[in-house]
């Protein structure tokens, strides 16, 4: 390769230097640095090129940085190669920017971007207000541009001037008014929200109206006027009301921003109580009156979005139709406070697991609908292909519906519900939880991991032994009746006990040391499935069959397979038996948790170390 020696990106790059660097995403793993060099040298002299790789596997992360000799070459590379196919993947080429060294208060969040927004044009537009370091438009996993992004300025003062200006002079891009606000870190965002979101609050728009762009625009505009008028009559102060008709469902949704969070909460409570909101109960006749009163809105070029004459006939026809969209009647009305989705869960969204594989979406929906109004239900498989369990997300319309299902579904006195549970859930056992937000799931995982460090043992927690580990037999309980205290065995003579005696407990069975008297020995009972799943690869390949065997046998199989892994670390059979007994303890770990121990060696190592600490710290009597 005829390029210069690859070097690291400058950690303290100046704004001018950053303009010479591009960042590439979504590269195929088969692409080499030599391949990229031959492609990108077409637009200018390359000073350095680096594909980022995983430190452990040394495989490509699908990202690369290229530094050109001149900023013009970097800009040309963005224009020429962005969204082009390299081997199999559509790559994304962005300007490089070191966010760690940037002033976060000089960052602007942009919303309501058009689908064909252009980064270079946006950069030119915002450069009128100061030095722009970077413009970024977010994309989905398919690479399609989303309607939001960020602009990073060099100075906070430039951002302050821009925010003040847009109050009176909005910025438009390709016909759409951009919504701008100063970026705030998650820790700085207030949990209280002053906005509510109402979705699918009216019937779907009829096809004949949907095909008329100006009529659709007039309906969206009329809805905003109706909502603002109603709320202002109730004494609420509305800062903004944005209405849009969804292109898939053809139903309207709105974002209403109030002056205070108290006003937003009050209106959300109305939705909870009435399953709709009075602000959306109107008619096409009234909508036309409001348009005549306030006039037609204008486009970004100051032209009228539509004339009254162009939409009058459609509105008059709609007023005579029982499917008038302005009546605000909908079966799948949904509402929510506009929080950060990373911080706040929606108590009406429930994750339900342990569904039988042969149960259909219609069957589970019919069952769950008896507890309340279901507005959305999605059945899916878990992401881990080695642990496939059918589960579903169900969204109830109100919080009361959600509370009811979480209460009544566990009522064992209701024979009808109990019968249906056996038809729908494995062993008739329901697993149900509120779906936590992303951040809360992460926090919960950490808490769960700490609680599974088992092995704090406050108050003398029992050390549970596995019912069967590999070739080792079960040690039967003490057959002798309670009697006077006898000398206790040494710790290393007590591997088979199911419970460690508590000092002073005369009624606690005393464990029998090994070897046991022959008259007390029992022939080992055959353990099913141990030979059938003698290797973890067999469990992986036959996971569906494995999950159908009794849960106790699943634990026995996994305990048998864990034995060698733990022994390789512990190097002592008796200690290994104790640790494995902890790892398959049903009070500590679900089957999915145990399966993950085979996938995450670091996690297993942590559990082993915690178990050894507990064994070491156990009172020596």
């Amino acid at each position: 390769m005829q390029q210069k020696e690859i070097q690291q990106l400058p950690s303290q790059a100046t704004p001018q230097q950053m303009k010479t660097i591009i960042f590439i995403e979504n590269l195929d793993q088969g692409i080499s640095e030599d391949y990229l060099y031959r492609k990108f040298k077409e637009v200018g002299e390359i000073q350095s090129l680096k594909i980022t790789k995983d430190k452990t596997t040394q495989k490509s992360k699908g990202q690369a940085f290229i530094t050109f000799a001149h900023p013009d070459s970097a800009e040309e590379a963005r224009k020429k190669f962005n969204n082009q196919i390299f081997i199999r993947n559509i790559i994304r080429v962005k300007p490089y920017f070191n966010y760690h060294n940037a002033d976060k208060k000089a960052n602007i969040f942009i919303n309501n971007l058009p689908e064909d927004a252009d980064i270079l044009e946006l950069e030119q537009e915002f450069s009128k207000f100061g030095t722009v370091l970077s413009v970024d438009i977010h994309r989905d996993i398919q690479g399609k541009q989303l309607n939001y992004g960020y602009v990073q300025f060099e100075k906070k003062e430039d951002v302050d001037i821009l925010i003040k200006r847009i109050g009176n002079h909005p910025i438009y891009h390709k016909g759409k008014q951009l919504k701008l606000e100063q970026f705030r870190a998650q820790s700085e965002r207030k949990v209280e929200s002053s906005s509510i979101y109402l979705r699918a609050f009216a019937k779907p728009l009829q096809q004949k109206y949907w095909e008329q762009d100006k009529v659709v625009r007039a309906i969206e505009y009329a809805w905003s006027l109706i909502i603002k008028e109603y709320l202002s009559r109730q004494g609420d102060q509305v800062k903004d009301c944005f209405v849009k008709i969804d292109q898939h469902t053809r139903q309207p949704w709105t974002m209403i921003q109030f002056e205070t969070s108290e006003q937003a909460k009050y209106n959300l409570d109305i939705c909870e109580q009435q399953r709709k909101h009075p602000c959306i109960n109107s008619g096409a006749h009234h909508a036309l009156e409001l348009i005549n009163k306030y006039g037609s809105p204008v486009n970004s070029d100051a032209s009228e979005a539509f004339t009254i004459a162009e939409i009058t006939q459609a509105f008059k026809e709609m007023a005579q139709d029982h499917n008038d969209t302005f009546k605000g009647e909908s079966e799948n009305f949904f509402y929510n406070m506009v929080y950060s989705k990373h911080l706040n869960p929606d108590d009406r969204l429930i994750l339900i697991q342990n569904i039988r594989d042969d149960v259909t979406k219609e069957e589970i929906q019919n069952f769950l609908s008896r507890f309340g109004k279901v507005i959305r239900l999605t059945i899916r498989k878990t992401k881990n292909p080695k642990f496939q369990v059918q589960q579903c997300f169900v969204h109830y319309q109100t919080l009361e519906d959600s509370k009811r299902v979480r209460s009544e579904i566990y009522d064992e006195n209701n024979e009808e519900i109990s019968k249906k549970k056996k038809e729908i859930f494995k062993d008739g056992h329901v697993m149900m939880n509120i779906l936590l937000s992303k951040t809360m799931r992460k926090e919960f995982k950490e808490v769960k991991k700490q609680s599974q460090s088992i092995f704090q043992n406050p108050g003398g927690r029992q050390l549970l032994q596995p019912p069967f580990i590999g070739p080792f037999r079960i040690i039967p309980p003490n057959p002798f009746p309670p009697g006077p205290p006898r000398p206790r065995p040494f710790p290393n003579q007590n591997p088979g006990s199911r419970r460690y005696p508590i000092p002073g407990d005369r009624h606690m069975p005393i464990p029998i040391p090994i070897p046991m008297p022959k008259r007390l020995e029992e022939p080992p009972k055959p353990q099913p499935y141990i030979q059938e799943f003698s290797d973890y690869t067999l469990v992986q390949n036959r996971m569906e069959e494995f999950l159908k065997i009794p849960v106790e046998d699943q634990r026995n199989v996994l305990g048998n397979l864990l034995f060698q892994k733990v022994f390789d670390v512990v190097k002592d059979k008796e200690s290994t038996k104790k640790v494995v007994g902890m790892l398959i303890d049903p009070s500590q770990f679900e089957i999915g948790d145990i399966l993950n121990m085979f996938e995450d060696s670091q996690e297993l190592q942590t559990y082993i170390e915690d178990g050894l600490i507990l064994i070491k710290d156990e009172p020596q009597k």
Side-chain angles (χ1 to χ4, degrees), residues 174-211:
K174 297 193 173 182
K176 295 194 73 172
Q177 180 180 335
L178 304 185
K179 296 189 176 183
L180 310 177
E181 61 180 86
Q182 191 165 2
F183 171 79
R184 289 181 295 170
Q186 205 171 78
S187 58
E188 300 173 330
R189 299 172 194 165
K190 293 182 180 179
V191 174
E192 297 83 6
S193 173
S194 61
S195 299
I196 62 174
Y197 169 59
L198 310 181
R199 190 189 71 216
F201 59 77
K203 290 181 179 179
L205 193 62
Q206 294 182 55
Q207 184 67 32
K208 62 180 178 179
Y209 301 127
W210 177 248
E211 294 170 352

Side-chain angles (χ1 to χ4, degrees), residues 64-75:
F65 296 92
I66 300 179
T67 303
F68 290 92
H70 303 287
D72 292 346
S73 301
E75 185 173 337

Side-chain angles (χ1 to χ4, degrees), residues 457-485:
N457 201 32
R461 180 188 179 284
Q462 299 176 15
L463 288 180
L464 300 183
Q465 301 303 308
F468 180 82
I469 299 295
F472 299 94
R473 65 182 181 274
I474 304 173
I475 306 302
N478 182 15
F480 297 119

Side-chain angles (χ1 to χ4, degrees), residues 505-516:
D505 185 356
R506 297 172 56 88
H507 303 289
M508 178 69 67
I510 301 300
I512 303 301
I514 296 180
M516 295 179 61

Side-chain angles (χ1 to χ4, degrees), residues 348-356 364-365 367-369 371 374 376-382 389-396 402 405-406 409-410 421 424-425 429-435:
R348 294 166 299 158
L349 180 56
I350 298 176
L351 171 63
I352 299 179
Q353 298 172 294
N354 207 39
I355 303 171
R356 290 174 49 177
I364 185 69
Q365 179 148 358
F367 174 67
L368 296 174
S369 294
F371 303 103
V374 174
R376 181 190 299 172
L377 186 143
T378 305
I379 286 197
R380 63 196 305 183
K381 298 282 187 178
T382 57
V389 178
Q390 189 168 213
Q391 60 186 14
C392 77
F393 299 105
V394 57
H395 221 143
Y396 281 94
S402 172
V405 68
R406 283 180 274 147
I409 202 169
Y410 293 111
K421 284 194 296 186
I424 292 175
F425 300 97
H429 177 59
V430 183
M431 295 175 62
M432 174 184 296
N433 289 290
I434 293 173
L435 186 64

Side-chain angles (χ1 to χ4, degrees), residues 570-617:
V570 176
K571 307 298 184 185
D572 177 79
K573 288 185 178 179
E574 305 306 335
S575 297
T576 298
K577 289 179 68 175
K578 294 177 183 179
V579 172
V580 173
M582 301 171 193
L583 297 180
I584 64 171
D585 179 356
S587 69
Q588 290 292 337
F589 295 98
E590 298 288 343
I591 294 297
D593 297 325
I594 303 173
L595 287 167
N596 285 334
M597 295 177 194
F598 291 88
E599 310 293 333
D600 191 337
S601 58
Q602 185 175 359
E603 181 178 339
L604 176 60
Q605 178 69 29
T606 301
Y607 292 147
I608 294 173
E609 291 171 359
D610 288 344
L612 291 175
I613 290 172
L614 182 56
I615 293 170
K616 181 181 178 182
D617 291 345

Side-chain angles (χ1 to χ4, degrees), residues 277-320:
H277 196 291
C279 74
I280 55 178
N281 187 15
S282 185
H285 180 70
H286 180 54
L288 187 58
E289 287 180 348
L290 290 176
I291 293 176
N292 278 292
K293 178 180 177 180
Y294 292 100
S296 172
V298 295
N299 295 319
S300 57
D301 58 0
S303 63
E304 283 190 330
F306 55 83
T307 64
I308 305 295
E310 288 176 316
I311 57 95
T312 298
Q313 184 59 34
F315 273 65
K316 287 182 177 180
E317 290 178 6
M318 199 181 304
Q320 305 300 319

